[in-house]
Amino acid sequence: MMTSMTSMTVIGLGKMGSALIQGVLATEIFEVDKIIGCDVEAKEMKFDCRMIKTITDNKKGVELAEIVLLAVKPQIIHQVLQEIKSVIAGKLVVSVAAGVTIDYLESELPSSCRIVRAMPNIPILVNAGISAITPGKRATKEDVEIVKNILGGVGETIVVKEELMNAVTGLSGSGPAYISLMIEALADGGVLTGLSRELSLRLAAQTMIGTAKMIIETGIHPGELKDMVASPGGTTIKGIEVLEQHGLRGILIEAVKKATEQAKELNADTDDSK
Ligand SMILES: NC(=O)c1ccc[n+]([C@@H]2O[C@H](COP(=O)([O-])OP(=O)(O)OC[C@H]3O[C@@H](n4cnc5c(N)ncnc54)[C@H](OP(=O)(O)O)[C@@H]3O)[C@@H](O)[C@H]2O)c1
C-alpha cells in the first residue's frame, strides 16, 4: 500500500516516534531508506537488519522529506516549530503531540503547510493501535488518506472533530497504561492465590484480549457479557461485589476525565508560548 508521497521524517524518536517508524515500515508504505528519524541524540534504529537513517539536525530532516511527523513532547513543540518553520513550507505536517491544537500549529507554521493532528496509541507497535485524526483546514482529502494509510497500517484509524481530541487522548491515548495496570493487578491476584507470575500474566492479558475481541466482533454490550459470566451465587458475582465496593467504575471514569483535563492544560501551555 504505497502513497503518492514517498518520504517521511519523524522528529522525536522516543516511544511514539520509534513505534510509528517500526510499525509503518512493517507495512511497507515507505521504503526503509525513505524514512528519516531526528532526535537530539543520534539513535541507532534498525528494521529487518537495515539501518534507519537518524540525524540530529531537525531542519535537515524536514528538508529531506515530503511528510513531517512531529513526535516530540508537547512542552517542546514550540521550540521545534521555531527551528523548522523556515524549511517546512508546502509539506504535509502530522502532529501526534497531546493537547497541541491545529490552530496553534497553523499559526506557527507557513500557510502553505497542510496539517493533520493525530492521536495514536502505543499498541501501534504490534499493529493493534487505534488512532484518531483531525485534518486542518488546508489539509486535502488526499492528505487525510495518506495519514489514514500511515496510521491505518499500524491499527485502526478514525476521523474525529478536533473538539473530541482531548477526550480521545484521555481514553485511548492514555488507555494502554490503565489496561496495563489492570493486567498487572489481576496477575498479582493470581500470584496471591498460588499461580506462577508467568501463568498469571498470560491468563490476565489473554482474558483482556478475548473480552475486548468479543465486544468488538459480536457487538455485545459489556454489561450483557458480564451477566453471561456472573451466575447466581457463583464466584464471579463475589468478585464483582468487591470491585463495586471499591468503586472500580468510578475510578476509571475519573481517570479518563483527569487525563482529558490534562490534555486541555497542555493545550493552554502551548497556546501561552505563542
Ligand atoms: N507515548 C504514548 O503512548 C503516546 C500516545 C499518543 C501520543 N503521544 C505523543 O507523542 C509525543 C511523544 O511522546 P513519547 O511518549 O514518545 O515521548 P518521549 O519518549 O519522551 O519521546 C520524545 C523524543 O523526542 C526527543 N526530543 C526532545 N527534544 C527534541 C528536539 N528538540 N528535537 C528532536 N527530538 C527531540 C526526546 O529526546 P530526549 O529524551 O533526549 O529529550 C525523545 O527521544 C508526545 O507529544 C505525546 O503527547 C504519545
Side-chain angles (χ1 to χ4, degrees):
M1 187 193 3
M2 291 285 172
T3 72
S4 62
M5 293 189 198
T6 57
S7 54
M8 179 166 80
T9 285
V10 177
I11 300 185
L13 299 177
K15 293 175 280 297
M16 188 43 68
S18 44
L20 274 165
I21 290 181
Q22 297 289 340
V24 166
L25 283 173
T27 64
E28 297 180 1
I29 296 170
F30 300 102
E31 301 287 336
V32 176
D33 58 1
K34 295 290 184 188
I35 298 245
I36 295 159
C38 296
D39 203 285
V40 278
E41 281 170 36
K43 297 187 173 166
E44 191 171 290
M45 286 189 78
K46 272 189 197 163
F47 183 75
D48 276 352
C49 300
R50 292 172 66 191
M51 296 300 288
I52 290 154
K53 184 170 181 179
T54 63
I55 56 176
T56 54
D57 183 343
N58 292 337
K59 242 174 134 171
K60 189 172 172 207
V62 169
E63 280 169 340
L64 291 171
E66 296 161 283
I67 303 170
V68 177
L69 198 149
L70 300 169
V72 292
K73 289 279 184 208
Q75 294 84 348
I76 61 156
I77 271 279
H78 180 74
Q79 175 199 326
V80 170
L81 295 180
Q82 296 317 304
E83 201 184 332
I84 61 178
K85 68 196 296 183
S86 63
V87 290
I88 204 168
K91 311 229 177 209
L92 170 58
V93 181
V94 185
S95 165
V96 299
V100 176
T101 64
I102 291 172
D103 260 2
Y104 173 72
L105 294 163
E106 286 182 341
S107 72
E108 291 290 314
L109 292 173
S111 59
S112 56
C113 286
R114 288 114 54 217
I115 290 162
V116 176
R117 180 176 171 191
M119 179 45 57
N121 65 3
I122 206 76
I124 61 168
L125 254 179
V126 291
N127 287 353
I130 183 151
S131 306
I133 62 172
T134 306
K137 52 182 176 293
R138 295 184 205 104
T140 64
K141 276 189 184 156
E142 196 202 351
D143 293 333
V144 173
E145 285 312 305
I146 288 169
V147 178
K148 271 186 173 174
N149 275 350
I150 293 171
L151 294 168
V154 290
E156 201 179 316
T157 308
I158 46 165
V159 179
V160 299
K161 291 199 171 127
E162 191 174 25
E163 66 235 39
L164 300 178
M165 267 298 188
N166 291 329
V168 169
T169 306
L171 176 50
S172 56
S174 304
Y178 314 150
I179 304 287
S180 295
L181 275 179
M182 284 189 264
I183 291 174
E184 192 186 16
L186 289 171
D188 282 344
V191 172
L192 184 68
T193 50
L195 302 174
S196 72
R197 170 66 57 186
E198 195 188 359
L199 178 59
S200 290
L201 270 175
R202 184 87 201 158
L203 291 170
Q206 185 54 44
T207 302
M208 282 279 179
I209 293 176
T211 308
K213 198 168 153 71
M214 258 185 95
I215 289 170
I216 288 172
E217 287 183 6
T218 67
I220 189 172
H221 187 283
E224 202 183 326
L225 199 158
K226 182 253 306 170
D227 289 350
M228 278 167 70
V229 186
S231 45
T235 56
T236 308
I237 197 67
K238 275 281 171 203
I240 289 172
E241 184 187 21
V242 176
L243 296 177
E244 295 290 11
Q245 277 167 351
H246 292 270
L248 179 75
R249 289 173 202 250
I251 289 168
L252 291 174
I253 292 169
E254 194 60 21
V256 175
K257 189 175 146 212
K258 286 279 190 251
T260 302
E261 286 167 7
Q262 179 69 4
K264 280 188 200 148
E265 281 285 315
L266 289 172
N267 175 354
D269 288 350
T270 44
D271 280 352
D272 284 349
S273 63
K274 272 191 215 177

